[in-house]
Amino acid sequence: MDINALFTDEGLRNFTATVRDQHVRDAQQYGQIADIVRRRLEQTPIEGDRWMAKRLRAWKVARQLKAMQKASTEAAAKAEALYATYVNEVLELPQRRAVAEAKRLERKQGRQAAVGAAVAGSLNRTVTALNTPQEQPGGTVPQARPAEFVTPESPFEQWPMAAGGERPTSTINDYFAKGEQG
């Protein structure tokens, strides 16, 4: 067998087909032999056998041949799996990589276009915001509510706070006039 021919599609296909066919034939032969051996041993008594000893002995011997049949069937399946794996992992790999690279480049270009559009939109909003005149003069803080002025009737007017003076502690009478019933 030429080892270099094994690394071509046709060479590996021929090798795996030959191996597969050989294992399939072997599995068939093992199955036929197992049936013949089992039936012959079931009909051949050995001195001192009990009533089920023949069948049990025949089953034990035929079981080994059935295991060989199963192993050959699995080997035939593995030969086909060898060819399929070789085609998938070696022969078709360059084509799959080329397709994946093309998809990757397409996604990258799509992302770049999306980022470019987002940057352009952001710049447009910034330019629009900077060129729009504002109602408030710069440096002032907008008021959340209008300023409140203390009226002369307010109890806070009684204690001047200007020169760091302290307000005396308040009692309830400071807030409610005496004698009011509510």
Side-chain angles (χ1 to χ4, degrees), residues 100-157:
E101 182 65 25
K103 287 180 182 179
R104 192 176 310 117
L105 287 175
E106 184 178 325
R107 284 193 313 266
K108 184 178 179 181
Q109 289 172 350
R111 283 192 306 264
Q112 287 175 347
V115 167
V119 168
S122 175
L123 289 175
N124 285 336
R125 286 191 300 273
T126 302
V127 167
T128 304
L130 290 176
N131 289 335
T132 305
Q134 298 193 2
E135 298 94 27
Q136 258 185 329
T140 60
V141 177
Q143 295 286 331
R145 59 187 181 134
E148 297 178 14
F149 296 101
V150 179
T151 59
E153 299 88 39
S154 172
F156 297 109
E157 193 67 31

Side-chain angles (χ1 to χ4, degrees), residues 1-19 79 82-83 86-87 90-91:
M1 170 167 74
D2 183 20
I3 197 70
N4 291 328
L6 192 62
F7 289 98
T8 64
D9 184 33
E10 185 178 335
L12 189 64
R13 177 72 260 174
N14 290 337
F15 171 75
T16 55
T18 303
V19 170
L82 166 67
Y83 178 72
Y86 179 77
V87 167
V90 177
L91 299 179

Side-chain angles (χ1 to χ4, degrees), residues 40-52:
R40 174 80 56 93
L41 289 176
E42 283 178 352
Q43 295 173 1
T44 308
I46 297 178
E47 189 177 329
D49 279 350
R50 295 180 184 239
W51 68 278
M52 286 294 287

